[in-house]
Amino acid sequence: PTPGCEHRLPLANAMNDESEITEHHDDEEMEKTNTPRNISHSFSGSVTPSERGGHSSTQSSHRLLAYSDALISIIATVMILPVAHTKFQDNEVRKKTNKPHRYCSQELKESIQMLLTTKIAVYLMTFVIVTVAWAAHIRLFQVIERIDDTLALLNLACMMLITFLPYTFSLMATFPNNTLGILLFCACVIVIGLIQAVIVLYGFSCPFLLNEHIQMSENRAYHRRHILKVIMRVPVMCFFASIFSFIFFQLSYILLAIVIFMPYISQSLKWIRNKAIGSQEDDTPDSMLLYTYHPNEPLSKERVEAFSDGVYAIVATLLILDICEDNVPEPSRVKREFGDSLVAALREYGPEYLAYFGSFATVGLLWFVHHSLFLHVTRATRLMGLLNTFSLAFVGGLPLAYQLTQEFPHGSRNELEAIQISCVIVFFAGLFQLAMWVTALFSERETLHPYVRYGGREHAFMLAKLALYPCVALVTFFSTCLLSRFSASIFHVMEIAVPFAFLALRLLVRVALAVLRYLFCPDRAAAGDALVEEEDLRLPFSDVVT
């Protein structure tokens, strides 16, 4: 360095450290941009002239995949509307029975229990079914990276049937003893499987549509057989389920559950077999990264982010729909009851507005935590995708939480139960986000940026950010149990206080780490007084656990 510039070096190093994660993601984007061009050059020498002509008529699948992700996220999320718009006939019960509100509590309590056991179960299973179909779509288009008109039309047919699945499952839940719902569901899944098989056969007949790994493989026929075998397992299982629906329909429900969880059942059986008879070498001609059913099988991080963003955006939009529908008074009522004063008429909707802003803040902050997590994720896996699905399923239940928190009279038993249900929804939505991060830590070198690995300078801060909502929801739940008279106030204070907690979170984490260092590592604290370095100011989470 030139004389007089030494004092600039620490600042330059700090700026380099701060920009490292940005450069990491910029490199990823450049690699994505350059990859198709490199594939085209590397493969151009191994295709025939007719294949080159076909290659010129193809296009990138990015927009088709974005459309598919948006469509599936919408159909998965709007299934909460029948649950959230369930009407609790509080006023009608009191008018018919001429009883005070407390005598109607039992009827309303039974209504809430029916909602939980029936409609929420239908919503969660529908969400899981749709996202399983979406995960299969991801895997298929990780093999096929380019499309033409034929593939685009086949994909539209597949999307049409996937969006019809929630209706068939609703029929199954409403009429469990009727075989028609099962037959419609199985027929849709069978046709979806056949369309995906046709897509695979068409893609392998035009090798320039495939990804680079399969394009350059000498065992392309093996890959085609393997992928078709995996895809056709689901239609075959559904075919047997439709047959058993005429004989013993309970068994068909078991087969359908096996279809949903087949990848994890298959992997568990493989693990048990390897433990029982010893590990066996894989007899595949070359490494197969896709369709392995392994929990660490790579999943498109970009599509996971796109699908998740769609769910969060739709949930936030559904909240305002209820405001627009239920909280606009009739002009005649405003003139008759409030002396033509719109301010006085809107004043009675104050609790609804408070519930809306609190629910929107909750959705937005859960998205912010999800964004912060995937900002540091370098590769998503199948198991992380499953945990993300569970988290999004509970996020989709937040319109129900909003509806329940302002449905019942203040101070009633039903209001307490509704607020506790809302706490449970928020708790599990945040808990599965935390579980995604813990899962990524088990293979942190492949899945996480160095900053958030064990010992990384952002590790403790990321832990605090992901654990904030589960901890706050848990504390709120038990607080409402102890102080039931103030349950609504406690819940709304929680919704308002959490955004401010996020703003002060980094400072709180630094203070907590300093206290832990002073209590458990006094020698390190004393040494830090002599020479203060940023690397010495962090305490790895593993040291705290030890």
Side-chain angles (χ1 to χ4, degrees), residues 88 104-117 414 417:
F88 301 94
C104 301
S105 177
Q106 185 63 34
E107 290 88 340
L108 294 177
K109 184 176 180 180
E110 292 175 357
S111 180
I112 290 180
Q113 291 174 346
M114 180 185 66
L115 181 146
L116 285 175
T117 56
N414 296 288
E417 294 179 353

Side-chain angles (χ1 to χ4, degrees), residues 268-536:
S268 300
L269 293 176
K270 183 178 179 180
W271 181 83
I272 293 173
R273 185 193 65 185
N274 291 339
K275 290 295 182 181
I277 63 177
S279 179
Q280 294 182 345
E281 295 293 333
D282 193 4
D283 57 354
T284 58
D286 52 8
S287 60
M288 183 66 177
L289 301 178
L290 304 173
Y291 286 91
T292 61
Y293 284 166
H294 195 276
N296 287 330
E297 177 185 337
L299 207 61
S300 173
K301 175 192 168 185
E302 291 74 22
R303 294 197 64 185
V304 172
E305 290 175 334
F307 178 78
S308 303
D309 291 344
V311 171
Y312 282 106
I314 295 162
V315 169
T317 307
L318 294 179
L319 296 174
I320 195 60
L321 292 180
D322 292 322
I323 291 285
C324 296
E325 179 182 359
D326 301 330
N327 297 89
V328 179
E330 293 291 336
S332 59
R333 181 171 176 264
V334 173
K335 186 174 183 179
R336 183 179 64 254
E337 298 183 12
F338 300 97
D340 209 18
S341 174
L342 183 59
V343 175
L346 294 179
R347 191 176 295 123
E348 69 175 7
Y349 297 119
E352 284 85 347
Y353 297 141
L354 182 62
Y356 163 73
F357 287 113
S359 300
F360 191 95
T362 302
V363 175
L365 290 174
L366 284 171
W367 172 86
F368 170 70
V369 173
H370 189 277
H371 164 73
S372 301
L373 172 61
F374 274 84
L375 181 66
H376 296 89
V377 169
T378 56
R379 192 191 72 167
T381 64
R382 168 176 286 277
L383 184 56
M384 291 173 63
L386 177 66
L387 296 172
N388 185 62
T389 295
F390 291 151
S391 176
L392 294 178
F394 283 98
V395 169
L398 288 174
L400 171 65
Y402 160 75
Q403 195 76 15
L404 290 177
T405 52
Q406 47 90 29
E407 181 76 24
F408 302 108
H410 180 67
S412 65
R413 175 70 180 175
N414 296 288
E415 182 192 48
L416 173 63
E417 294 179 353
I419 288 174
Q420 290 176 342
I421 292 171
S422 302
C423 291
V424 170
I425 291 174
V426 175
F427 172 77
F428 280 106
L431 184 66
F432 283 114
Q433 287 184 340
L434 179 61
M436 271 193 290
W437 186 63
V438 173
T439 301
L441 286 175
F442 282 101
S443 55
E444 58 181 16
R445 292 187 178 275
E446 294 81 20
T447 56
L448 291 177
H449 190 273
Y451 281 4
V452 293
R453 297 175 189 170
Y454 283 116
R457 69 183 189 184
E458 295 290 320
H459 181 84
F461 180 60
M462 182 60 66
L463 172 64
K465 189 182 290 187
L466 289 164
L468 182 60
Y469 256 119
C471 292
V472 170
L474 201 61
V475 170
T476 305
F477 180 88
F478 287 110
S479 298
T480 56
C481 294
L482 298 175
L483 304 171
S484 58
R485 292 179 56 188
F486 308 101
S487 58
S489 301
I490 293 172
F491 184 75
H492 292 312
V493 167
M494 180 271 289
E495 290 184 316
I496 296 172
V498 169
F500 296 98
F502 270 106
L503 293 176
L505 189 60
R506 187 176 291 275
L507 177 62
L508 295 175
V509 169
R510 289 182 177 179
V511 171
L513 290 178
V515 172
L516 290 172
R517 188 183 304 109
Y518 178 79
L519 293 177
F520 297 103
C521 305
D523 296 336
R524 288 187 59 180
D529 294 336
L531 180 61
V532 180
E533 293 284 348
E534 186 176 358
E535 292 296 318
D536 294 332

Side-chain angles (χ1 to χ4, degrees), residues 5-20 23 451 457 533-535:
C5 295
E6 291 82 354
H7 64 283
R8 300 180 187 176
L9 292 179
L11 178 60
N13 291 336
M15 294 176 62
N16 290 336
D17 289 341
E18 292 298 326
S19 62
E20 182 177 335
E23 293 174 357
Y451 281 4
R457 69 183 189 184
E533 293 284 348
E534 186 176 358
E535 292 296 318

